[in-house]
Amino acid sequence: MSVSHSADKLPTELIDSFGRRVDYIRLSVTDRCDFRCVYCMTEDMTFLPRDQVLSLEEIYLVAQAFTELGVNKIRLTGGEPLVRNNVMSLIDRLGKLEGLKELLLTTNGAQLDKFAKPLHAAGVNRINISIDSLDAERFQRISRVGKLEKVLAGIDAARAQGFDRLRLNAVIMKGYNDDEVLVLTEYALEKEVDISFIEEMPLGNASDHDRESTVCSNDWVRGVLEEHYELIASAETTAGPSRYYQVAGKRSRIGFISPVSHNFCADCNRVRVTVEGRLLLCLGNEHSVDLRAILREQKGDLDALKRAIVASMDLKPERHFFYDKEHVQPVRLMNMTGG
Ligand code: SAM
Ligand code: SF4
């Protein structure tokens, strides 16, 4: 599709009304998934009708608009990005986008044995792979349908490709997998990949449990690890709710993504675009802009899209308030949000 540019001066950086620079976007390429993780989805999900979902071309235009506005890091997510039909044709194009320094992917790993090689060839720099248990039965209980051995094979396939970094993501929940903090960490150390522990966020209603009774603070997880390892705080930050530690004598880093117990919103550098083309300014709030309407009503006008993105910066909230009864909690489930 050809795109037009008007003479209006557009900025080369996105700065919000709190002075934060947005240089990172998370793009959801589908709301669908081959798993049904208990913290992310309900058991019987209804997914979006096709006409409400952005086409691969529309997703590419969104990415292009953001990179022309100074975004240099894109993470592809979902739902499960690798279940989207023909997703490699999009990733191949994104890998060639001018101005993009990092192209990242978050996946459940179930199809990585097949995709690791083309993803690496397309220029994907880093991959996050979610894995919440190393016990096959329990893995299936948490993912409701996933097969652990497929994910383990996917991790090995990705390791064989030489990505800049691989990271495991584990959501630790009381009563589900809180006794696996050490086992998961030992596995990451052995495979020389990073691991991050994520606090369960109250995004939509979980149908199998009451989130407030399962949410596990990362301070507790870190305490468990500190009884066994010397954790050395890393100066590196990703301008988000993550903090990293090096394990003395090991290559792997351990991260704690603590959006619930710690508020790092002051450094926030990111926004999300759902697969419906809704630009979400904050994970924990509903402020959003409908980019799909602009894409479809003003077809081919990349500057209209860029102007809407620039204007959206005024809507980015200062912070979120998870599990705070004084504040409205998001009704979106994580697969709709784009993790
Ligand atoms: N399907 C891919 C995967 O599972 O990695 C990508 C999308 S998933 C929504 C992205 C990340 O969000 C995963 O690491 C998952 O564990 C995490 N996640 C999903 N729901 C969550 C919740 N309610 N709280 C915290 N993390 C959640
Ligand atoms: Fe699917 Fe990822 Fe959500 Fe699990 S966390 S249901 S793998 S989108």
Side-chain angles (χ1 to χ4, degrees):
M1 183 195 289
S2 66
V3 288
S4 68
H5 286 266
S6 77
D8 290 357
K9 196 94 181 106
L10 279 155
T12 51
E13 279 188 351
L14 290 170
I15 311 282
D16 79 355
S17 54
F18 300 95
R20 297 172 296 194
R21 174 164 178 212
V22 172
D23 57 8
Y24 175 21
I25 56 168
R26 294 191 175 206
L27 275 182
S28 174
V29 301
T30 181
D31 61 325
R32 289 164 197 255
C33 187
D34 43 355
F35 288 8
R36 295 283 182 280
C37 303
V38 289
Y39 47 75
C40 177
M41 292 193 178
T42 56
E43 192 150 15
D44 49 345
M45 290 287 291
T46 314
F47 295 106
L48 290 167
R50 300 231 178 259
D51 62 336
Q52 289 185 27
V53 165
L54 295 189
S55 66
L56 294 178
E57 176 65 22
E58 288 169 331
I59 296 175
Y60 178 78
L61 289 177
V62 169
Q64 186 186 351
F66 271 103
T67 50
E68 290 184 13
L69 292 168
V71 163
N72 53 40
K73 179 169 160 182
I74 295 179
R75 176 176 299 282
L76 300 176
T77 181
E80 172 49 43
L82 299 182
V83 304
R84 173 92 195 226
N85 266 344
N86 217 6
V87 72
M88 278 314 307
S89 66
L90 169 70
I91 301 177
D92 282 331
R93 288 180 78 194
L94 294 178
K96 298 186 185 88
L97 260 182
E98 213 173 302
L100 194 63
K101 291 191 190 137
E102 288 186 289
L103 182 57
L104 319 171
L105 176 88
T106 302
T107 173
N108 64 23
Q111 294 195 67
L112 257 187
D113 51 350
K114 189 169 88 197
F115 279 98
K117 197 169 178 184
L119 288 169
H120 189 254
V124 170
N125 309 90
R126 293 191 269 143
I127 300 188
N128 289 353
I129 305 160
S130 303
I131 181 162
D132 303 312
S133 175
L134 285 167
D135 174 275
E137 239 172 70
R138 191 185 271 186
F139 183 87
Q140 191 153 28
R141 178 175 170 230
I142 297 174
S143 62
R144 292 204 186 94
V145 282
K147 296 262 182 287
L148 176 66
E149 77 260 18
K150 283 291 288 173
V151 177
L152 297 179
I155 293 170
D156 285 337
R159 287 175 65 234
Q161 290 301 319
F163 288 96
D164 295 349
R165 267 186 186 280
L166 293 177
R167 190 182 92 191
L168 309 181
N169 277 346
V171 177
I172 299 296
M173 292 173 293
K174 280 184 207 148
Y176 277 101
N177 61 351
D178 50 335
D179 54 351
E180 280 199 68
V181 170
L182 282 176
V183 184
L184 285 161
T185 304
E186 275 157 27
Y187 172 77
L189 296 179
E190 181 200 316
K191 298 280 176 183
E192 299 195 322
V193 297
D194 296 340
I195 183 163
S196 279
F197 293 100
I198 308 179
E199 290 175 341
E200 182 181 7
M201 289 174 279
L203 297 176
N205 280 329
S207 55
D208 291 13
H209 60 276
D210 163 21
R211 293 191 195 274
E212 281 193 62
S213 65
T214 50
V215 66
C216 220
S217 133
N218 265 337
D219 290 343
W220 177 82
V221 175
R222 206 175 71 211
V224 171
L225 288 170
E226 280 174 338
E227 283 178 24
H228 292 81
Y229 302 108
E230 185 191 342
L231 300 185
I232 304 155
S234 158
E236 189 185 340
T237 78
T238 54
S242 326
R243 291 297 175 267
Y244 290 97
Y245 291 78
Q246 201 73 45
V247 180
K250 302 284 184 185
R251 294 181 61 166
S252 308
R253 295 179 317 163
I254 302 189
F256 298 97
I257 305 180
S258 316
V260 177
S261 62
H262 293 280
N263 183 312
F264 297 118
C265 301
D267 302 332
C268 184
N269 66 342
R270 64 201 59 186
V271 294
R272 292 171 166 77
V273 182
T274 73
V275 75
E276 289 173 287
R278 195 171 151 212
L279 166 57
L280 284 172
L281 282 311
C282 171
L283 182 59
N285 284 286
E286 297 293 355
H287 307 65
S288 70
V289 173
D290 183 2
L291 297 183
R292 185 182 64 197
I294 299 166
L295 278 162
R296 295 192 179 169
E297 283 157 24
Q298 300 178 58
K299 251 193 166 70
D301 187 350
L302 197 67
D303 278 358
L305 196 60
K306 285 161 73 175
R307 277 193 298 275
I309 293 169
V310 172
S312 76
M313 288 297 112
D314 285 346
L315 297 179
K316 188 165 166 61
E318 189 172 11
R319 56 164 297 186
H320 63 251
F321 297 88
F322 285 140
Y323 295 106
D324 181 340
K325 293 196 170 54
E326 304 268 299
H327 292 89
V328 178
Q329 301 297 303
V331 289
R332 289 172 267 113
L333 287 161
M334 191 61 153
N335 76 302
M336 283 304 301
T337 304

